[in-house]
Amino acid sequence: MKLDEISDGIFLLNGRNKGRFPHAHCFLVQGDATALIDTGCGHDLLREVKEKFSPDMLINSHSHPDHACGNGIFEGIEIIVPKMHADTSGNVQALSERFVSPEVAADWRRFAREHLHFAECKPTQTFDDGHVFDFGKVKLKAVHTPGHLDDHFCFFEERIGLALSFDIDFSGFGPWYGNPESDIGPFKKSLEKIMDLKPAMAASSHRRPIRENVGEEFRRFCAKFDTHASNILSLLDRPKSFDEIAEAKPIYRKHPWRASVLGYFEGQMIEKQLLEMQINGRIICENGLYRKKK
């Protein structure tokens, strides 16, 4: 178990595989109470945390399995999740119905159970936008940041200017919006909302904490939306169908595991980009074929 102090009372719990999916970094908060935020770092590490720190509560930033797959290890303490979609939290069947189509739901459930070892676990409490988790010196304000997922939240510690940004993750891949409820427009607004707080530091779930040029990192991350769009536009040397575009894998480039699931996610992201580009007048769809607008 490797803990890195971000600030007084807030620690990053390094996830397996350097926090890369299907793992994620988690956060330990110590003050008047002890809290663990998210549970995707690796089940062995979570058991160490449970034994060494005996958290009083577990908080989920959102309901994706790489952030909540280890909740069951802490059954018996307060498990606090976003109010929105709380009825699906910890329920693999319900989550699969939210996150993918019926055609690939079984594959998604197998991945969640076999690779993330997701165990069923019901939450005990919920939180919503503006809620403050008060640990004494450390106070984390919940900021609703949809787009990646309806129930995605960031937490802001105003005293030190720290944004716990979770899946606003500053990865090279860029924003991920591959579920039916994901949405490019709200995602961009969520980025603006956190940027407007002018954080001095940002700590995400899949990258090391950022302590310098934070605003520039947000802008670079947001620019990946345009990169995804450009990748799609580059395929339209002639009018093409959605299937032809998706077959080229312009966003993922390859599907190294669970091709049906990754193909579905890629299709969702392509579909959202095509819609946005039509709204912005960059492309036209006629008779099921997409082409650049002249």
Side-chain angles (χ1 to χ4, degrees):
M1 177 175 61
K2 186 173 183 293
L3 284 173
D4 293 331
E5 187 173 23
I6 300 174
S7 68
D8 187 20
I10 305 176
F11 301 84
L12 182 140
L13 172 58
N14 288 261
R16 293 297 185 204
N17 195 33
K18 297 182 179 180
R20 298 189 187 99
F21 185 85
H23 296 292
H25 298 315
C26 304
F27 299 91
L28 186 73
V29 181
Q30 290 185 298
D32 294 347
T34 298
L36 179 67
I37 305 176
D38 288 347
T39 59
C41 59
H43 284 27
D44 55 338
L45 300 179
L46 295 174
R47 292 187 183 96
E48 286 188 57
V49 168
K50 183 178 181 180
E51 181 178 352
K52 184 173 181 179
F53 297 102
S54 300
D56 300 292
M57 69 187 75
L58 168 65
I59 305 168
N60 283 161
S61 62
H62 62 296
S63 52
H64 271 151
D66 58 320
H67 296 259
C69 61
N71 284 11
I73 290 172
F74 297 91
E75 197 162 17
I77 69 170
E78 296 292 349
I79 298 177
I80 311 171
V81 305
K83 184 176 181 179
M84 182 180 291
H85 297 302
D87 58 324
T88 69
S89 179
N91 184 318
V92 173
Q93 177 69 37
L95 290 172
S96 72
E97 292 170 2
R98 273 180 66 196
F99 294 159
V100 294
S101 68
E103 292 76 20
V104 297
D107 267 356
W108 186 91
R109 290 192 294 271
R110 277 193 292 271
F111 176 76
R113 288 174 174 139
E114 294 172 9
H115 291 269
L116 287 87
H117 307 291
F118 196 109
E120 303 277 328
C121 182
K122 290 184 178 181
T124 61
Q125 291 187 38
T126 64
F127 68 90
D128 212 339
D129 191 43
H131 179 85
V132 176
F133 292 96
D134 190 344
F135 301 98
K137 191 173 184 179
V138 174
K139 294 176 175 62
L140 297 176
K141 183 176 181 179
V143 182
H144 188 212
T145 49
H148 173 71
L149 205 62
D150 277 349
D151 62 358
H152 186 271
F153 278 78
C154 295
F155 297 143
F156 190 64
E157 217 301 334
E158 185 175 13
R159 178 179 57 88
I160 56 174
L162 170 65
L164 298 182
S165 61
F166 304 106
D167 272 348
I168 297 176
D169 62 13
F170 310 105
S171 66
F173 180 88
W176 190 93
Y177 42 100
N179 291 136
E181 66 195 55
S182 307
D183 197 319
I184 293 173
F187 207 146
K188 289 179 177 179
K189 289 179 180 177
S190 291
L191 287 168
E192 291 173 2
K193 183 187 291 188
I194 300 301
M195 289 174 67
D196 286 346
L197 296 173
K198 301 188 184 308
M201 295 181 285
S204 78
S205 299
H206 300 288
R207 188 178 152 179
R208 302 295 301 162
I210 298 167
R211 300 177 184 274
E212 297 179 351
N213 303 316
V214 176
E216 180 57 32
E217 289 287 353
F218 272 96
R219 287 185 285 273
R220 186 178 296 118
F221 184 70
C222 190
K224 282 290 185 175
F225 284 115
D226 292 332
T227 300
H228 294 170
S230 295
N231 291 346
I232 295 170
L233 280 172
S234 70
L235 299 173
L236 300 182
D237 53 334
R238 61 174 175 81
K240 288 181 179 175
S241 68
F242 175 86
D243 288 343
E244 288 177 299
I245 296 169
E247 187 176 353
K249 304 178 181 66
I251 297 177
Y252 270 93
R253 300 301 189 188
K254 58 183 179 179
H255 298 160
W257 49 265
R258 296 287 181 191
S260 66
V261 176
L262 288 184
Y264 176 81
F265 291 155
E266 175 133 34
Q268 284 285 308
M269 294 174 74
I270 292 170
E271 186 177 282
K272 297 174 201 305
Q273 281 288 357
L274 289 172
L275 178 59
E276 175 131 314
M277 286 190 282
Q278 287 179 83
I279 292 171
N280 294 337
R282 301 177 73 183
I283 63 172
I284 292 173
C285 183
E286 294 177 330
N287 301 317
L289 297 178
Y290 294 90
R291 66 173 176 83
K292 295 178 184 178
K293 187 174 182 181
K294 296 178 181 179

